[in-house]
Amino acid sequence: MPDTRAPFDWLMDHVKALGAPPLRTAVVHPVSASSLQGAIDAAGAGVCEPILVGPEAKIHATAEEIGADLSAFEIIAVPHSH
């Protein structure tokens, strides 16, 4: 039977099973709903501690679009992804 869970649920389950603490992870240019939500979901699952790197205004606009609170996340503001 095919796995019908979200695309990365299996990966988060595997990493959580290792019992390691969350890994500080740079998430570069998370200005799409899916990239930002993925970072938030991974943090919620205890898999990583995301550091959001990119244009701060765009990151916050995306967070507002998806209804996310970014107060728990470090943001490193850079003008673009280059």
Side-chain angles (χ1 to χ4, degrees):
M1 174 173 240
D3 189 346
T4 58
R5 298 178 297 162
F8 294 103
D9 284 353
W10 66 270
L11 179 60
M12 285 198 252
D13 291 345
H14 178 75
V15 172
K16 284 190 295 189
L18 296 174
L23 182 64
R24 285 179 52 88
T25 306
V27 179
V28 179
H29 208 75
V31 297
S32 69
S34 61
S35 63
L36 185 57
Q37 190 65 59
I40 292 167
D41 290 348
V47 172
C48 76
E49 180 185 329
I51 301 164
L52 308 175
V53 181
E56 190 169 9
K58 287 184 178 183
I59 293 170
H60 282 289
T62 302
E64 186 174 322
E65 175 187 316
I66 63 174
D69 175 12
L70 299 181
S71 61
F73 302 102
E74 179 180 353
I75 298 175
I76 298 176
V78 296
H80 47 70
S81 63
H82 298 85

